[in-house]
Amino acid sequence: YTFLETTLVTLSLLPHFIAFFSDVEIPGSPSALATTFLTFVLNLAFSLSVLGFMIMHISLVSGNTTTIEGI
Ligand SMILES: *[C@@H]1O[C@H](CO)[C@@H](O)[C@H](O)[C@H]1NC(C)=O
């Protein structure tokens, strides 16, 4: 669920993030832009790290083991 939530936030902020780097004049205060930027970067990083955990646990479950047995 954490992966789904962080991925959803990342994808919904992606157009704002792309607009940030294009020459288009973006409406909004500088603090709102900074918040959007920071939220995008943090959610992307968290989503990728949780994706790693999810892949690891899917492979453990498909091999009929737990994290402790798998090590
Ligand atoms: C999964 O492992 C457990 C414990 O080793 C075993 O009892 C069970 O039969 C296994 N299930 C499958 C589907 O292999």
Side-chain angles (χ1 to χ4, degrees):
Y1 287 127
T2 306
F3 172 73
L4 289 179
E5 189 275 334
T6 51
T7 304
L8 185 69
V9 172
T10 304
L11 289 179
S12 53
L13 286 180
L14 190 62
H16 299 276
F17 189 74
I18 291 170
F20 189 83
F21 285 107
S22 59
D23 288 337
V24 181
E25 196 61 40
I26 319 163
S29 64
S31 63
L33 286 179
T35 308
T36 303
F37 188 86
L38 194 66
T39 308
F40 179 84
V41 170
L42 285 178
N43 271 278
L44 183 64
F46 207 58
S47 146
L48 289 177
S49 59
V50 173
L51 175 67
F53 277 114
M54 197 174 75
I55 290 172
M56 184 184 106
H57 283 99
I58 287 174
S59 71
L60 283 173
V61 166
S62 65
N64 192 25
T65 52
T66 63
T67 311
I68 292 173
E69 290 170 330
I71 293 170

